[in-house]
Amino acid sequence: MIVAGELSPPGDKSISHRALLLASLATGCSRIRGLSPSSDVESTSRVLRLLGARIPELSGEIFIEGVGIDGLKVPRSSLDCGNSGTTARLTAGVVSACAFRTTFIGDPSLSRRPMRRVAEPLRFMGAEVTLQNGDCLPMTVSGGSLRPINWSSGVASAQVKSAVLLAGIAGRVTVTFTEPHPSRDHTERMLAQMGVTVRNTGNRVILEPSDSLQPLDLHVPGDPSSAAYLVALATLAQRGSLTVRHVCLNETRTGFYRILARMGGDVRLLSEREEGGEPTGSIDARHASLAGVDVTPDEIPSVIDELPLLACLAARANGVTTIAGAAELRVKESDRIFQVVSNLRQLGVEAEEFADGMRITGTDAPMTGRVITNGDHRIAMAFGVLALDPRNSIEIDDPGCVAVSYPNYWSDARSLLK
Ligand code: S3P
């Protein structure tokens, strides 16, 4: 297999959600270029429109006239967040300060994911939050005036942290938020760009209330999580070299690349400039022989979405790879520990499942079989890297589910195969 060429990945999904939410609450007109074309980001724009935000049809460049921090309106219907946990959890934070009732629903996958982790801090701040199905959606938030919060979260989760920070912004109260390991910090960076005082000391964030948010002028950098699949493909190729341009190189997102380098991967991150408060640059990658590694709990937040991909690369590495401290994988779009291990085994790879991780023994034998994605985009794309290698014969049961984050994944990846 030869993998060669240059490509820009789609705009970062996490930054895109935040840009839509915060531009909607700003005072003045924001300009946003390069939004993620994913169905998850469409879910955020649909939900915000129902709340009265002035979001035009999404395209390469959009302008959003903010309604101001207090400008959201009672929605006409329940907010359907589709497959998107970020949409549900971050928007719940925003409406906690709104004096009306909002109900969040989602697709069957989102309806199985835990929401108590956001309900609890938002209740502490003064919102009334009910979960009608144990820990899960539907979730109803009756908002109002909020009190300051000093919260220590049991999980390292940027979605929980961002929900609380957004409640702090919307309710104009001070927030101190502590987590076990630092999670992605895009919300903090974007708020700082909008004139908010926010201090981040790794695993603690302190946010001061602000009267208004300045509008954004943002070119969303490419998604390092989407770029990772292309870099993995170049790593497994026999020849060629790949350059991925205009990628977000925020350290809270680039754990995959650090671990890949530790496995022996030939991957270089070239920082170029800061855009919208985020470091951006390009990534060069080419073939390398990989060796198994141990991935430790402190590394997990910075590689959380790439762990299925890392497991697929570990299946092609020399020796054993272990992943520990990753219980969060069980509550993603699917139970990604079960889904990864069962699919690898089905392809003839030795793999073992633990409560909070997995152990994989690499092989160079050809792989044959059908991958069950359970509708999970990251399972489809991770195993897609193995499926695109002509030495294997692998079918992906639902290739279309990649639209959740990277609709052009298959055509982008195939355009690099020479
Ligand atoms: C995200 C945070 C992570 C990540 C998800 C996107 C975000 O989830 O897995 O894909 O945009 O804040 P958690 O915060 O639940 O770890």
Side-chain angles (χ1 to χ4, degrees):
M1 175 167 69
I2 304 175
V3 171
E6 265 191 43
L7 209 87
S8 301
D12 187 74
K13 184 158 78 73
S14 290
I15 296 177
S16 297
H17 286 295
R18 289 156 173 80
L20 291 175
L21 277 155
L22 290 174
S24 297
L25 299 182
T27 301
C29 186
S30 293
R31 175 193 187 207
I32 307 167
R33 286 174 290 160
L35 276 174
S36 158
S38 61
S39 58
D40 269 6
V41 169
E42 283 290 351
S43 292
T44 290
S45 65
R46 182 176 64 242
V47 156
L48 285 169
R49 283 187 199 112
L50 276 167
L51 287 165
R54 297 189 207 121
I55 302 191
E57 196 181 318
L58 301 189
S59 65
E61 176 177 36
I62 62 164
F63 295 87
I64 297 176
E65 189 62 49
V67 295
I69 286 181
D70 309 305
L72 296 180
K73 300 272 175 335
V74 190
R76 279 182 279 108
S77 62
S78 300
L79 305 184
D80 183 355
C81 302
N83 191 247
S84 177
T86 310
T87 306
R89 295 186 179 124
L90 269 59
T91 310
V94 173
V95 299
S96 288
C98 296
F100 52 75
R101 186 138 74 105
T102 311
T103 300
F104 294 86
I105 57 172
D107 74 3
S109 152
L110 183 57
S111 302
R112 283 191 294 269
R113 298 181 62 189
M115 293 295 152
R116 198 179 302 137
R117 53 181 61 196
V118 287
E120 281 176 350
L122 298 179
R123 277 181 196 137
F124 179 90
M125 293 178 85
E128 206 178 289
V129 186
T130 50
L131 293 166
Q132 289 159 34
N133 187 15
D135 187 9
C136 302
L137 298 183
M139 170 166 69
T140 299
V141 180
S142 298
S145 122
L146 300 182
R147 68 177 79 94
I149 183 170
N150 182 345
W151 193 258
S152 191
S153 171
V155 281
S157 162
Q159 292 182 359
V160 178
K161 174 177 64 177
S162 301
V164 177
L165 291 174
L166 291 172
I169 286 294
R172 293 189 170 90
V173 293
T174 303
V175 169
T176 303
F177 189 93
T178 311
E179 52 187 349
H181 300 291
S183 62
R184 63 192 68 189
D185 61 356
H186 306 300
T187 305
E188 297 91 304
R189 286 171 186 258
M190 200 175 285
L191 284 170
Q193 292 285 306
M194 302 176 91
V196 176
T197 303
V198 48
R199 289 189 298 282
N200 193 331
T201 57
N203 60 345
R204 171 165 301 158
V205 187
I206 302 171
L207 169 114
E208 300 298 345
S210 187
D211 278 345
S212 62
L213 300 175
Q214 293 159 18
L216 290 168
D217 184 1
L218 175 67
H219 188 172
V220 179
D223 196 322
S225 300
S226 300
Y229 303 100
L230 310 175
V231 166
L233 201 61
T235 300
L236 294 184
Q238 282 96 346
R239 282 189 297 125
S241 74
L242 168 72
T243 299
V244 194
R245 297 222 179 274
H246 193 233
V247 188
C248 176
L249 296 180
N250 179 324
E251 271 192 28
T252 62
R253 296 290 301 283
T254 48
F256 168 78
Y257 300 98
R258 290 190 287 277
I259 296 165
L260 178 58
R262 206 159 80 225
M263 293 173 88
D266 189 345
V267 57
R268 267 169 254 265
L269 271 50
L270 308 159
S271 279
E272 281 153 10
R273 58 179 172 276
E274 193 161 302
E275 274 180 276
E278 296 280 352
T280 66
S282 51
I283 303 176
D284 287 337
R286 57 176 67 238
H287 166 76
S289 298
L290 301 180
V293 286
D294 294 323
V295 180
T296 54
D298 54 308
E299 296 181 288
I300 297 299
S302 69
V303 63
I304 186 73
D305 292 337
E306 290 70 68
L307 288 170
L309 175 63
L310 205 65
C312 288
L313 286 178
R316 281 302 189 217
N318 192 6
V320 174
T321 293
T322 61
I323 298 174
E328 275 295 295
L329 282 183
R330 295 217 181 260
V331 292
K332 294 295 179 186
E333 287 83 328
S334 69
D335 174 346
R336 287 184 177 158
I337 295 180
F338 170 78
Q339 221 62 38
V340 164
V341 169
S342 58
N343 279 310
L344 284 176
R345 281 191 182 157
Q346 215 269 121
L347 298 176
V349 179
E350 207 182 306
E352 205 182 326
E353 189 180 326
F354 307 127
D356 70 341
M358 57 188 105
R359 176 188 159 95
I360 296 140
T361 306
T363 170
D364 47 24
M367 298 176 187
T368 305
R370 187 161 193 267
V371 168
I372 309 297
T373 58
N374 212 349
D376 184 337
H377 57 133
R378 299 214 185 271
I379 300 293
M381 292 189 283
F383 283 88
V385 170
L386 299 174
L388 286 162
D389 187 335
R391 290 165 292 187
N392 301 325
S393 176
I394 298 174
E395 189 198 341
I396 308 288
D397 70 346
D398 179 10
C401 69
V402 301
V404 161
S405 62
Y406 191 171
N408 292 332
Y409 173 62
W410 299 108
S411 57
D412 277 3
R414 285 202 182 93
S415 76
L416 300 171
L417 297 178
K418 306 294 173 205

